[in-house]
Amino acid sequence: MKRTLHFLCLCLCLLSIPFSVRATDTELDRESLKGVTAMAVLIEQIDSTIAPVDLTEDQIRTDVELKLRQAGITVTVNPLDPYLYVRIDTLRFTCQQNYVYTLTVQFNQFAHLARKPYVGRLVPTWEVGSFGFGQNGGINAD
């Protein structure tokens, strides 16, 4: 039991590192979301061999798209539109039905360089992330 607890603490610490570096939810970042009326949704493929049985790509897409529509945002499939990227990574403990997971939600949109307005790229302008622990049948509620 003590060994499992140490392993869990180590995993949580390691999984939290990227988010402390990459999370960008400042007032300026949120400003980049204002006026967006339509976006596509991109869900990173979930590894079904390690993901909880109640966590599917279709379920996540349905939940995300529903929340966007409820917020008055049109969901599109146009690859040139801005898009919301959702990624969930899980680590399952083989001795139990417990999981450690990380969640990244990122908004990407087309931006131009101020010094060369003809140069533009799809870039992330807002991002949040979290991590947590759950049991089979309970992660999707988080």
Side-chain angles (χ1 to χ4, degrees), residues 44-62:
E44 183 79 23
Q45 185 175 1
I46 298 172
D47 184 348
S48 62
T49 62
I50 60 172
V53 295
D54 64 337
L55 189 66
T56 67
E57 185 179 334
D58 288 339
Q59 179 186 12
I60 294 166
R61 175 177 305 285
T62 300

Side-chain angles (χ1 to χ4, degrees), residues 9 22 59 96 117:
C9 290
R22 292 181 11 220
Q59 179 186 12
Q96 302 171 358

